Amino acid sequence: LATGCAGEGTTTSSSSDGGLNQIQSTILTAKCATSGCHDGVTQSPDLSSAAASYTALVGVASTLCSGQTFVVAGDAGASYLIEKLGASPTCGTLMPITGSSLSSTEITLITDWINAGADQPSASLLARPATQSTSSTSSTSSTSTSTTSTTLYY
């Protein structure tokens, strides 16, 4: 994590899985994957979605700090990501660079996910009803049909 940025303000939980989906929605999207930072375009690793974050972090060696792995599944103490969120990383800069530091609750959520094995995001929790629905009514019938599609967000 060579650089990083953060949004201002507080975050709220929109997922109750306690895993990467919740971390993504409450921390990574709001404080890390902001424009100009780990948004999938500007800085690596790409933290723009739960799937991208998992792929970019779990078992992946840091390109900035030799011998460090971003997330060592089952071992937060050996995970460079936790070091980057702490007070004094051995190399690189404390994350996030801008905005407020992560709270102890936010760091604990990430630590607990790593120590629990850093499971992949659940696709079922990423499925959300589409915001657009279509309705049609036949002029010769009083029957109305409505269709709502489901989109997977990775």
Side-chain angles (χ1 to χ4, degrees):
L1 300 175
T3 63
C5 304
E8 294 293 334
T10 60
T11 59
T12 57
S13 174
S14 63
S15 174
S16 62
D17 74 328
L20 186 54
N21 290 314
Q22 182 178 10
I23 292 165
Q24 185 69 46
S25 67
T26 62
I27 302 168
L28 299 179
T29 297
K31 294 188 173 187
C32 306
T34 57
S35 178
C37 293
H38 300 285
D39 57 7
V41 177
T42 312
Q43 302 290 329
S44 64
D46 176 3
L47 305 177
S48 62
S49 70
S53 295
Y54 182 86
T55 300
L57 295 174
V58 179
V60 176
S62 167
T63 56
L64 175 68
C65 193
S66 179
Q68 296 283 351
T69 300
F70 285 117
V71 171
V72 178
D75 190 356
S79 297
Y80 182 52
L81 176 62
I82 298 301
E83 182 180 327
K84 292 292 286 181
L85 301 174
S88 302
T90 56
C91 62
T93 305
L94 174 68
M95 294 291 129
I97 289 178
T98 63
S100 60
S101 298
L102 298 187
S103 70
S104 61
T105 301
E106 291 169 322
I107 294 172
T108 297
L109 185 64
I110 296 169
T111 300
D112 289 349
W113 167 69
I114 294 171
N115 284 336
D119 290 339
Q120 291 186 9
S122 169
S124 65
L125 291 172
L126 294 174
R128 300 182 200 161
T131 57
Q132 184 177 44
S133 64
T134 57
S135 296
S136 63
T137 305
S138 171
S139 60
T140 59
S141 169
S142 63
T143 305
S144 175
T145 59
S146 177
T147 306
T148 302
S149 62
T150 301
T151 306
L152 291 179
Y153 295 90
Y154 294 97

